[in-house]
Amino acid sequence: MARHDEQRVEITPDVLIKAYSVGIFPMAESADDPSLFWVEPEQRGIIPLDGMRVSRRLARTIRSNKFEVHVDRDFDAVIDACAAPAAGRDSTWINKRIRRLYRALFDRRQCHTVEAWRDGRLVGGLYGVKIGAAFFGESMFHFERDASKVALVHLVARLKVGGFKLLDAQFITDHLESLGAVEVSRVEYQNMLAKAVAANAQFYCWPSDGVTDGGVVLQSISQIS
């Protein structure tokens, strides 16, 4: 993994978008560390939009509409949950600067959330950045079993319907690999990235203020194992 320490140039939302467009993204050492550094992985994690794997058990959960899935409903709650301590994780890299930067992108509709709600409570979700026909997944969380997986499947379905070409997952985890994530070389990723950011796609291909039915989502995915 290539790491580039922060230079004395102010990181603004515009700088952030330019960085993503060339394949790098920011991180912090911890939530308490005010500095940022740029990351460019040698092997990049992506989720092929035609290769998502949904188990039959997960498909039943999605089809049941157990979770109400919304987009862009409560960005602050999503990033708070992504930054919160969790099992096996005492802290995250989401510091105050990260929060401010991505909130600014959200206000500009260049950052989006996918949120799983149950009984009026946010129980899982994710957020990421959109440039052209590329979506860069940043972080995800869950407070109930399968909530983050359901949000991710909803995201992939939305991206497929909206004409996206790339879903960047940054790094591969066992969780993501079970859903179809793979690693590609930096060169291969750069080729995919250049084509995706130059294209157009529609995140709001489905209404932003409603709930998408799980059956419709599964039809759009059509990769059940």
Side-chain angles (χ1 to χ4, degrees):
M1 178 182 74
R3 168 174 168 164
H4 309 282
D5 290 330
E6 181 180 3
Q7 304 296 314
R8 293 184 178 275
V9 176
E10 181 184 1
I11 299 178
T12 65
D14 288 333
V15 169
L16 198 54
I17 291 296
K18 289 179 181 178
Y20 274 102
S21 298
V22 296
I24 61 177
F25 55 88
M27 294 185 73
E29 290 289 358
S30 71
D32 297 325
D33 186 348
S35 63
L36 300 177
F37 59 89
W38 297 108
V39 178
E40 186 179 15
E42 292 285 349
Q43 295 291 315
R44 193 73 167 232
I46 66 166
I47 300 177
L49 295 177
D50 288 326
M52 179 147 216
R53 295 196 296 266
V54 180
S55 70
R56 295 190 182 280
R57 184 188 61 78
L58 180 58
R60 286 195 298 270
T61 299
I62 295 169
R63 192 176 290 110
S64 74
N65 293 313
K66 171 182 176 180
F67 301 110
E68 290 186 0
V69 179
H70 298 266
V71 299
D72 295 347
R73 189 181 195 185
D74 195 338
F75 174 84
D76 293 325
V78 170
I79 200 167
D80 283 348
C82 288
R89 184 188 73 193
D90 295 328
S91 182
T92 72
W93 49 269
I94 300 174
N95 63 12
K96 290 181 180 179
R97 291 179 69 188
I98 292 285
R99 290 170 185 262
R100 288 197 298 269
L101 283 166
Y102 289 88
R103 174 71 214 202
L105 291 182
F106 178 77
D107 291 339
R108 289 162 46 159
R109 289 294 182 258
Q110 291 177 295
C111 181
H112 298 283
T113 64
V114 181
E115 309 164 16
W117 292 74
R118 190 178 184 201
D119 299 329
R121 188 171 71 94
L122 179 65
V123 295
L126 57 89
Y127 74 95
V129 174
K130 175 195 179 297
I131 305 174
F135 191 91
F136 306 85
E138 274 298 309
S139 188
M140 59 197 305
F141 74 96
H142 69 277
F143 298 138
E144 291 192 13
R145 182 181 182 183
D146 289 339
S148 62
K149 289 183 178 181
V150 170
L152 182 58
V153 174
H154 272 255
L155 171 67
V156 170
R158 181 177 287 269
L159 298 185
K160 286 187 69 173
V161 173
F164 283 76
K165 298 181 179 297
L166 174 66
L167 173 52
D168 176 19
Q170 298 180 350
F171 302 108
I172 293 294
T173 63
D174 291 342
H175 176 81
L176 293 177
E177 190 173 18
S178 71
L179 293 166
V182 298
E183 284 187 333
V184 297
S185 69
R186 183 185 295 177
V187 171
E188 187 177 356
Y189 176 77
Q190 288 288 345
N191 289 335
M192 298 169 68
L193 177 65
K195 294 175 183 177
V197 298
N200 294 314
Q202 178 55 259
F203 187 80
Y204 295 126
C205 56
W206 289 328
S208 61
D209 57 353
V211 178
T212 306
D213 179 74
V216 172
V217 166
L218 291 173
Q219 263 192 334
S220 302
I221 297 291
S222 299
Q223 292 286 337
I224 299 174
S225 59

